[in-house]
Amino acid sequence: MQNFITLAQIDEVVQVIRRQVSIQPVVGIILGSGLNDLADSVQKAVRISYSDLPDFPVSTVHGHAGRFVIGELEGKPVLLMQGRIHYYEGYTMGQVTLPVRVMQRLGIPNLIVTNAAGGVHPDFQPGDVMLITDQLNLMGMSGLNPLMGPNLDEIGTRFPDMSQPYDRSYCDLARKAAGDNKITLREGVYAGLSGPSFESPADLRFLRLAGADAVGMSTVPEVIIARHGNMRVLGLSGISNKANLDGSTITTHEEVIEAGKVITPKVEKIVRGVLNGL
Ligand code: HPA
């Protein structure tokens, strides 16, 4: 039997954060693998370790710190997650998405979600950034939807619409920010799998046929929870490796972290441009 997150649990975390932070963030930002350095650009930063929050999951993955960083980016009050929680770490879907619930109860209306992903689209190259225009909820299709269990009626409806997981006007802002900075912005569908094993060539051919342009091990549950609470979402994938549909090369976590060094400055410029346009 899965333990589902309750409103009281979420609000306990919210209270601890409120005691340490006086600003009201307007944007929540989740940093993906290899993209953690973005948090170092936050001004007037207050840092709160996940381990100091009641019943909060702790990120166990190399390349992920484990704290909230609250402060200003481009003059906008933001709350960053430096280190995300993944389902493959052994946490429940409720724990994986607890940070987004906390953002909602803190009154944060916007979410920018970033990740490292394998490029399934044949034209995508390592180091590219992809604007996520839609998502394939493969975890949910196999019974792992983060909304399973009692509905939190105070936050959203039992059967939330998912016709626009990624906000179209935010997509336009990201396109403009990329153009202003002469960054080529790819676009496409992100497929979310549980991981932690990378995909087999047959998995990847299946994903391509299903319409995926990029594949990763996160994001989709967080975006479903965000939309349940009516947050507006922007999604960016850093393409860290080419998904290998014929099995001729191997994929490693080290390569994912390494690619983050090229991707971080691009993602930072796009995020800054979007924040400016909000
Ligand atoms: N597959 C799944 N997740 C990933 C990949 C990949 O190729 N690259 C980075 N995250």
Side-chain angles (χ1 to χ4, degrees):
M1 174 68 187
Q2 190 172 14
N3 286 321
F4 299 107
I5 301 286
T6 63
L7 210 56
Q9 256 176 297
I10 302 165
D11 287 346
E12 259 189 65
V13 177
V14 167
Q15 274 173 25
V16 176
I17 295 174
R18 281 230 170 95
R19 275 202 286 275
Q20 294 178 58
V21 179
S22 53
I23 62 164
Q24 170 62 49
V26 294
V27 185
I29 304 176
I30 303 179
L31 300 177
S33 294
L35 305 177
N36 278 280
D37 289 355
L38 201 66
D40 299 335
S41 310
V42 173
Q43 289 172 320
K44 303 180 194 165
V46 175
R47 297 181 177 84
I48 304 176
S49 290
Y50 300 155
S51 56
D52 291 334
L53 295 168
D55 288 330
F56 208 84
V58 176
S59 177
T60 62
V61 191
H62 171 64
H64 281 262
R67 60 192 178 190
F68 284 118
V69 179
I70 302 126
E72 288 181 7
L73 209 54
E74 292 298 298
K76 296 267 171 24
V78 296
L79 175 143
L80 273 88
M81 279 187 78
Q82 197 178 24
R84 68 139 58 78
I85 320 296
H86 302 82
Y87 184 71
Y88 62 73
E89 293 174 78
Y91 293 113
T92 65
M93 276 288 168
Q95 287 174 303
V96 167
T97 53
L98 174 61
V100 180
R101 288 299 193 207
V102 167
M103 291 179 196
Q104 289 168 332
R105 295 294 280 180
L106 279 168
I108 301 176
N110 306 294
L111 178 67
I112 300 178
V113 60
T114 69
N115 59 52
V120 180
H121 191 294
D123 293 346
F124 290 4
Q125 300 299 329
D128 281 350
V129 179
M130 183 189 90
L131 174 68
I132 309 177
T133 53
D134 203 348
Q135 66 185 20
L136 267 169
N137 181 14
L138 290 162
M139 294 187 244
M141 287 179 200
S142 44
L144 285 174
N145 193 301
L147 291 170
M148 284 171 85
N151 186 52
L152 297 179
D153 295 328
E154 294 82 353
I155 298 182
T157 176
R158 172 78 287 188
F159 301 107
D161 172 66
M162 281 296 147
S163 59
Q164 204 181 134
Y166 298 89
D167 188 87
R168 293 199 187 126
S169 60
Y170 286 180
C171 286
D172 285 341
L173 281 178
R175 289 181 186 110
K176 180 171 185 315
D180 289 349
N181 288 284
K182 305 208 166 22
I183 294 167
T184 303
L185 187 61
R186 309 288 197 170
E187 298 197 10
V189 174
Y190 175 91
L193 274 65
S194 70
S197 49
F198 288 114
E199 301 72 36
S200 69
D203 287 334
L204 292 165
R205 289 193 297 269
F206 166 80
L207 292 173
R208 186 67 193 140
L209 277 175
D213 298 297
V215 57
M217 306 174 189
S218 66
T219 302
V220 170
E222 293 146 329
V223 171
I224 289 172
I225 290 296
R227 292 301 300 140
H228 179 247
N230 211 27
M231 293 174 94
R232 293 173 74 186
V233 181
L234 173 76
L236 296 168
S237 285
I239 303 299
S240 49
N241 54 288
K242 262 177 105 71
N244 186 235
L245 277 67
D246 63 8
S248 59
T249 57
I250 63 162
T251 304
T252 65
H253 185 59
E254 286 65 35
E255 134 185 57
V256 173
I257 299 299
E258 200 54 36
K261 292 179 189 153
V262 183
I263 294 164
T264 300
K266 296 187 194 177
V267 168
E268 174 161 354
K269 287 192 185 110
I270 296 170
V271 168
R272 283 183 183 279
V274 168
L275 289 174
N276 261 315
L278 281 182

